[in-house]
Amino acid sequence: QVQLVESGGGLVQAGGSLRLSCAASGRTFSSYAMGWFRQAPGKEREFVAAINWNGGSTYYADSVKGRFTASRDNAKNTVYLQMNNLKPEDTAVYYCAADMRPRAVLAVGFRSYDYWGQGTQVTVSS
């Protein structure tokens, strides 16, 4: 079992920045990859970013590439999502998720992830 708790969401103006955190507990944090997803009202949950077990490999959705950065601190059992140059279309509930299976490539489908946090709201005003 893995428990995930997100924090750091809020209201920000377009062009601003936020850093989301996701604290994990349970299984050894450094043994699994992590992902970030988001879901806007009336839309499906979409992939945002993924990071491998040691932070050496990351992958991003085209919509956030160059603006968002995923990182992790295994000593603190925490994964981060630094979001810069935020746009109104980034408004959504953001979720972190844990992928417990060893894979050759980072997973982008939400069904590949085994554990999910409760989500944190990010609202970007224009």
Side-chain angles (χ1 to χ4, degrees), residues 96-124:
C96 64
D99 178 6
M100 309 306 291
R101 297 170 181 81
R103 303 182 194 274
V105 295
L106 293 168
V108 301
F110 71 88
R111 291 184 176 86
S112 297
Y113 289 79
D114 304 287
Y115 298 98
W116 293 81
Q118 82 290 348
T120 187
Q121 176 70 47
V122 171
T123 303
V124 185

Side-chain angles (χ1 to χ4, degrees), residues 11-25:
L11 173 64
V12 64
Q13 289 188 333
S17 298
L18 282 174
R19 188 176 80 156
L20 305 183
S21 299
C22 173
S25 59

Side-chain angles (χ1 to χ4, degrees), residues 42-97:
K43 295 188 177 181
E44 293 186 351
R45 189 167 299 192
E46 66 171 348
F47 171 79
V48 174
I51 185 167
N52 77 330
W53 67 276
N54 67 354
S57 178
T58 53
Y59 186 74
Y60 299 94
D62 287 344
S63 59
V64 306
K65 202 172 296 183
R67 301 188 298 122
F68 291 12
T69 302
S71 62
R72 65 191 295 162
D73 184 339
N74 286 346
K76 296 182 178 179
N77 289 354
T78 301
V79 64
Y80 304 97
L81 185 67
Q82 178 67 44
M83 306 185 295
N84 297 329
N85 190 22
L86 283 160
K87 304 176 181 180
E89 52 263 43
D90 295 318
T91 295
V93 177
Y94 283 71
Y95 300 89
C96 64

